[in-house]
Every structure is written in structure tokens, then in C-alpha cells.
Amino acid sequence: MTQTAIPFLFLRGGTSRGPYFNRADLPEDRETLAEVLMAALGAGHPLNIDGIGGGAAVTTKVAMLSVSDDDWADIDYFFAQVSVTERLVDFKPTCGNILSGVGPAAIEMGLITPSGDETEIRIRAVNTGARVLARVQTPQGALSYEGGTAIASVPGTAAPIGLNFMGVVGSSTGAFLPTGHLRDEIDGIEVTCMDVAMPIVIARAADFGLAGYESAAELDADTAFFARMEAIRLEAGALMGMGDVSKSVTPKFGLLAPARDGGTIATRYFMPWNTHPSMAVTGSQCLASCTLTPGTVADGLLIRPEESPANVVLEHPSGTIEVLVDYDDTDGFELKSAGLLRTARKLAEGRVFVPASVWKG
């Protein structure tokens, strides 16, 4: 046999897409695992022509599932971000959009048995330790992907999947404000370095000479901006205690501007070497938390909601995303949970093949 066959499901989760594997069907050690995922996705080519990746960072994401041994969780979700053009796999972050498909995939794999018209699944994000309660539609005990819920950047409608994120503050660095400050100045730019579900370096678009309403394509074409942003990100990564982040997709980078389409604030999110076409679920929680926290770079860009939970509407290049944030600001900012509504759809299932020289199985 010249190739190794690996069972997989292929799902769109939120605004991302990728293979979902049973963790037991993959190699245990990280080095071999990375090689298998790069071979399966076709990393190292802009079109991922020799794999099932889609030539964009939102289509080279991988979910690996297993029954959890955690006292709270039902399912462990282990995430990998496979690079498009480089032979690189990052196991540090998690992905909330791909997480949208974890509940349905767990049912498809037989790891979870549906219960009633709506099945609650407790998910532990292995990469960060975050706990997420997913509510999946299972009318009459059968998984359903069809429904009337629409999300920005995804055509049509599908069944709603409710996600309630808990325990996401300091999930990567151990601190809400990893540098210890509400604001830091790097290369003449004020930033807020925050870690809520995803560590992000957040700045005002105007400080880069940007409006904050540019399209993803316009931002991607601005090489001078990207060069300056990356230099700031690298220094911020060190200040956040994350070490050399030149080969890591974290921390991410975000820009803020006053809302112009009826939302709470306008945002742009970077992955980090290109512009997200919409907004990451994890990123949305961090940006919403920054928006609600006095003293951050969000000051002056919005009128802050005074109630909790607060419905924060983030404008992004493809529309909006709403984050329901339950928080306490009596003694600083304390995030209790963040809720979002997503959708997912199974696109294919079968076996993906990798060369036996990569892994014999």
C-alpha cells in the first residue's frame, strides 16, 4: 500500500471549513500528526492543490474529536491551523467557527447520542482549556442541518447552533491583560493586548491612517500596513509572555473604528498574515470584551452599553456578528460568559489519503 486512508467528515463550521477527524484515527505524537495534516490539507501551495485545503486560512482548519475524560465535558476538541503556503501547523490557538461543527460531528461519529429535539453537548477546547456549551438541533432525536438561521459570509440558512463560551479569560496567556496594562505603546501606536478566547493585539484603525471600513482585499493589498502591523505584533507577543511568535498565528491583530452601520463598533481582524473575510468567533469575544472595558483603545469610539449581559454588535467586512457578553465591571472587568449563534453543515464524508511515507497508520 502506497497510501494510508484516514476516515473523516468534511464540514463547514460557521465561516470556516475543514476536515473533522476522530482523534483515535490519527498519530499520537505531534510531529507525525503535523506531517499527516499537512499532507491531507496540501500545505505549502497557494491552492493546496495536493490536498483538500481550500487555499485560504479559513479553509485549512482541522478539528480532532474524542470522548473527554474531563469531569465537566462530553467531548474534547483539539484544533490545528494548517498553513496554506508554508509547511507549518499551529496547535496553539483554537477556532470558534470550526467549533460550531464539533457538536454535529460528534453526533455523526457516534461519540454523542442525541437526546430530544435539542441536544446539549459540553465541549472542552483542548488547546486553550475553554469550556463551551453547544446546543444542537436534533428534532425527534435526529441531527438536522436545515433551518432558518443566517450568518454573515455564509449563503442561505441552516439550523442554529448556540454556543456559550465559559472560562475563556486568559485562555492562552493566563491573564486578561497579559502585559499588565490597559494600553501599551509600540512603534508609536497605542495597543491593548487582551486575552479572551484568543490573545489579540488591538489598535485603532485611525492610528495607522486607515478608516477602519476598508474591505479585506483593500487591506491585504496594503503591504506597508501589514509590515508595520507584523512588527508591532511580534513585539507585543514578547510583551505578552508568548515568546517568539514569528511562526505562530497568535497573537492575532484587530482594528477598531466607530460603527457606521448601526452596530456597536467597526472591526477588522487579521489571521494574522491576511485579513479575515468576516470575523472569528474567538476573536469576536476578545474584541467585544475590549469594547466593554474602560481604559482600552476602544475609549472614545463608542457609547458603552451599561447593562449586563450586553449585546455587542461587531461590524466586519461581510456584515455583523453579535456577541452576548455576561460580565461584571464592579471591580475591573470580569467576563462570565459569551454567547453566539452559528450554523454548520456536513459537506462530505469518507477517507482522505496521505502517503504511507508520511504515516503508515
Side-chain angles (χ1 to χ4, degrees):
M1 180 183 291
T2 60
Q3 296 204 84
T4 301
I6 308 171
F8 80 112
L9 297 169
F10 200 52
L11 278 81
R12 172 189 62 77
T15 57
S16 296
R17 191 191 74 200
Y20 289 65
F21 295 101
N22 187 319
R23 184 69 180 91
D25 292 330
L26 295 168
E28 273 296 323
D29 70 283
R30 291 284 181 93
E31 185 175 343
T32 307
L33 176 61
E35 292 293 332
V36 167
L37 297 183
M38 287 188 290
L41 275 293
H45 186 280
L47 297 177
N48 302 135
I49 201 70
D50 200 36
I52 61 173
V58 294
T59 60
T60 54
K61 297 172 181 279
V62 178
M64 295 162 280
L65 313 186
S66 57
V67 174
S68 182
D69 59 5
D70 183 83
D71 291 339
W72 179 86
D74 303 311
I75 293 294
D76 276 354
Y77 155 54
F78 181 37
F79 172 74
Q81 176 68 68
V82 179
S83 175
V84 175
T85 57
E86 296 184 69
R87 290 189 51 77
L88 180 68
V89 180
D90 197 344
F91 293 110
K92 290 181 182 178
T94 191
C95 175
N97 273 303
I98 286 293
L99 191 149
S100 306
V102 168
I107 293 173
E108 295 272 7
M109 291 178 188
L111 302 177
I112 291 290
T113 301
S115 55
D117 291 340
E118 184 178 81
T119 300
E120 290 191 351
I121 303 172
R122 298 175 184 269
I123 302 167
R124 178 176 66 170
V126 174
N127 307 66
T128 63
R131 294 178 170 184
V132 184
L133 179 64
R135 293 182 174 90
V136 179
Q137 300 306 299
T138 53
Q140 298 181 339
L143 179 63
S144 175
Y145 292 101
E146 295 192 21
T149 299
I151 61 173
S153 300
V154 177
T157 63
I161 296 172
L163 300 175
N164 193 33
F165 290 78
M166 297 162 281
V168 292
V169 173
S171 57
S172 293
T173 65
F176 176 57
L177 298 168
T179 70
H181 307 118
L182 284 163
R183 301 191 195 194
D184 295 277
E185 185 173 315
I186 303 174
D187 189 24
I189 298 288
E190 275 194 326
V191 298
T192 292
C193 299
M194 188 170 282
D195 182 4
V196 177
M198 178 66 69
I200 308 181
V201 185
I202 306 165
R204 293 180 291 260
D207 290 350
F208 284 95
L210 299 169
Y213 315 119
E214 290 84 357
S215 69
E218 288 172 329
L219 289 168
D220 284 344
D222 192 340
T223 54
F225 160 66
F226 263 85
R228 190 176 188 193
M229 176 179 65
E230 179 65 1
I232 293 172
R233 190 185 77 89
L234 294 179
E235 187 170 338
L239 291 175
M240 295 166 78
M242 301 178 72
D244 179 4
V245 299
S246 59
K247 294 293 185 181
S248 176
V249 298
T250 58
K252 300 293 175 65
F253 207 96
L255 294 179
L256 303 178
R260 68 170 184 174
D261 295 318
T264 305
I265 199 164
T267 60
R268 293 296 183 266
Y269 183 74
F270 303 88
M271 299 188 288
W273 302 300
N274 50 18
T275 310
H276 199 293
S278 54
M279 174 56 64
V281 166
T282 46
S284 71
Q285 297 169 65
C286 192
L287 292 173
S289 297
C290 179
T291 295
L292 293 170
T293 306
T296 67
V297 293
D299 280 2
L301 300 180
L302 77 157
I303 298 175
R304 287 193 172 91
E306 296 181 356
E307 73 284 352
S308 177
N311 190 42
V312 180
V313 181
L314 303 178
E315 299 175 359
H316 58 69
S318 301
T320 61
I321 186 171
E322 297 185 22
V323 188
L324 187 65
V325 183
D326 186 6
Y327 68 100
D328 184 352
D329 61 357
T330 55
D331 185 20
F333 182 89
E334 179 189 354
L335 179 72
K336 296 179 180 179
S337 66
L340 297 98
L341 198 64
R342 299 275 87 187
T343 66
R345 188 169 78 87
K346 183 171 74 169
L347 306 177
E349 66 177 317
R351 297 181 298 168
V352 64
F353 293 85
V354 300
S357 58
V358 172
W359 184 51
K360 292 182 180 180

